[in-house]
C-alpha cells in the first residue's frame, strides 16, 4: 500500500512538473490562516471557483526539502517537536535574500514541489487532499499554509501572488484545538518561536519579549495559543491590508454568507463566482468526523458551550 501511494505521488508530481512549466507564481493563489481556522475548507472552495489544483501546507516540518532549508537558518538541534510543528518561517519584505527559499516558494506556487515526507508520516503530503486524478491536470495552483503568515507579505511583494487570509475567532480556534487535543502551543516556547534568530522576527516581537517569557513560565494552553494567534495573524493584516491582491476573510462570514465572501475573493482573482452550493456545504478533508453534520451556528459559536470562564478570560485578556 505504501509503495502504491508513493507511485501515485510520484506520478502526480510528474504531471505537476509538466503543467508547472506553464504556470507563473503570480497566477497562483496563496491562502494563509491559523490552525483550525478553515484554511483547508477555504482552499477547497477557492480551487473549485478558479479551476485550480491544490498544494497543501508546504511549510510542514516533515517535508524533506523544507526541513533542510529551515535547519540552515536555525539551530538544527532545536528544530524538533513540538517547536518544529508550530514554527513559522519569517522573511519580512522580500525573499531575495535567500535564493534557496525563493526557489522553494516558487515551486510551491507552480506545483513543482515534490513535498514528500518520510514513510512513517504517510509518505505523501502536499497532494494528499486531491480527490480526483483530473485535479492533477489543472494548471493553476492554490497553495494553503497554516505556517505562512510571516511569509505571505514577502510572497505578495516578490511574485505579485494574490494572498487570501482567512481568520477565525481565537476562542473558536482554541475550542477546536482542545477537541483534537493538539497542545503544541502549550509545549513549545513562544519566546523561541517569536524572538529567536536574526531573520526579522525578533524586531517584530521585541516589545512583547518579556510577556512571552512570562507566558512560557506561567501561561496556560489557552493563553499561549491566543498570544501566538494574535502575533501571527495580526502580522498579515498589518503588512498587507489595503494592498491590491489581498483579501481578509472572516470564517464566520464564510459560514453564514459564503456567496458574499466568495464574491469579494472572485473580484480580486478576476474570476466569476461560480461555485455550487454543495461545494460550500461540503466538509473539508481535515474536518473531524464528529463535526460533519452540525449546524452553522454550532460551527461558529459552539465554543460558547465548550470553554469554561477561566479559558475564556485567558484568551480575551491576551
Amino acid at each position: 500500500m505504501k509503495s502504491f501511494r508513493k507511485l501515485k505521488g510520484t506520478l502526480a508530481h510528474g504531471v505537476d512538473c509538466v503543467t508547472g512549466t506553464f504556470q507563473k507564481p503570480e497566477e497562483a493563489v496563496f491562502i494563509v490562516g491559523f490552525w483550525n481556522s478553515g484554511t483547508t475548507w477555504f482552499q477547497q472552495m477557492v480551487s473549485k471557483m478558479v479551476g485550480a489544483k491544490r498544494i497543501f501546507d508546504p511549510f510542514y516540518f516533515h517535508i524533506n526539502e523544507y526541513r533542510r532549508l529551515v535547519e540552515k537558518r536555525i539551530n538544527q538541534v532545536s528544530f524538533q517537536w513540538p517547536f518544529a510543528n508550530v514554527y513559522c518561517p519569517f522573511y519580512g519584505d522580500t525573499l531575495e535574500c535567500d535564493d534557496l527559499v525563493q526557489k522553494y516558494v516558487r515551486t510551491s506556487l507552480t506545483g513543482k514541489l515534490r513535498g514528500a515526507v518520510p514513510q512513517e508520516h504517510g509518505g505523501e503530503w502536499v497532494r494528499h487532499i486531491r480527490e480526483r486524478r483530473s485535479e492533477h491536470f489543472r494548471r493553476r495552483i492554490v497553495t494553503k499554509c497554516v505556517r505562512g503568515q510571516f511569509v505571505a507579505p514577502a510572497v505578495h511583494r516578490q511574485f505579485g501572488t494574490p494572498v487570501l487570509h482567512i481568520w477565525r475567532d481565537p476562542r473558536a480556534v482554541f475550542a477546536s484545538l482542545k477537541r483534537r487535543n493538539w497542545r503544541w502551543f502549550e509545549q513549545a516556547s513562544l519566546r523561541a518561536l517569536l524572538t529567536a534568530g536574526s531573520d526579522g522576527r525578533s524586531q517584530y516581537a521585541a516589545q512583547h519579549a518579556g510577556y512571552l517569557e512570562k507566558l512560557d513560565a506561567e501561561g496556560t494552553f489557552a493563553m499561549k495559543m491566543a498570544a501566538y494567534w494574535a502575533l501571527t495573524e495580526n502580522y498579515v493584516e498589518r503588512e498587507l491590508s489595503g494592498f491590491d491582491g489581498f483579501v481578509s476573510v472572516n470564517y464566520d462570514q464564510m459560514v453564514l454568507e459564503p456567496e458574499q465572501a466568495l464574491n469579494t475573493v472572485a473580484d480580486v482573482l478576476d474570476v466569476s463566482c461560480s461555485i455550487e452550493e454543495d461545494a460550500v456545504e461540503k466538509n473539508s478533508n481535515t474536518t473531524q468526523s464528529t463535526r460533519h453534520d452540525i449546524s452553522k451556528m454550532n460551527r461558529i459559536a459552539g465554543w460558547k458551550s465548550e470553554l469554561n470562564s477561566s479559558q475564556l478570560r485567558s484568551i480575551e485578556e491576551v
Side-chain angles (χ1 to χ4, degrees), residues 194-234:
L194 291 162
T195 66
S198 56
D199 55 9
R201 75 183 64 225
S202 57
Q203 290 91 328
Y204 168 62
Q207 61 181 313
H208 305 292
Y211 181 57
L212 295 175
E213 192 168 347
K214 182 179 179 181
L215 284 178
D216 281 342
E218 307 170 4
T220 63
F221 173 27
M223 294 168 69
K224 293 181 74 174
M225 185 234 73
Y228 203 50
W229 178 92
L231 287 169
T232 54
E233 296 288 82
N234 287 339

Side-chain angles (χ1 to χ4, degrees), residues 103-122:
K103 181 180 179 181
Y104 184 84
V105 173
R106 182 184 289 274
T107 60
S108 300
L109 296 173
T110 57
K112 293 183 177 181
L113 176 67
R114 178 62 183 94
V117 299
Q119 285 299 323
E120 61 266 29
H121 299 290

Side-chain angles (χ1 to χ4, degrees), residues 31 49 87 90 115 123 139 142 156 159-160 164 171 178 181 208 232 254 279 301 317:
I31 294 174
M49 187 168 68
Y87 174 81
F90 190 105
R139 188 173 64 86
V142 176
H156 183 64
F159 299 117
L164 311 180
R171 295 166 295 189
K178 183 169 168 282
N181 199 29
H208 305 292
T232 54
M254 275 298 307
E317 286 178 355

Side-chain angles (χ1 to χ4, degrees), residues 139-158:
R139 188 173 64 86
R140 197 169 186 178
I141 301 291
V142 176
T143 299
K144 84 100 182 181
C145 300
V146 293
R147 303 169 182 85
Q149 292 89 324
F150 291 154
V151 178
V155 169
H156 183 64
R157 291 167 185 144
Q158 184 79 35

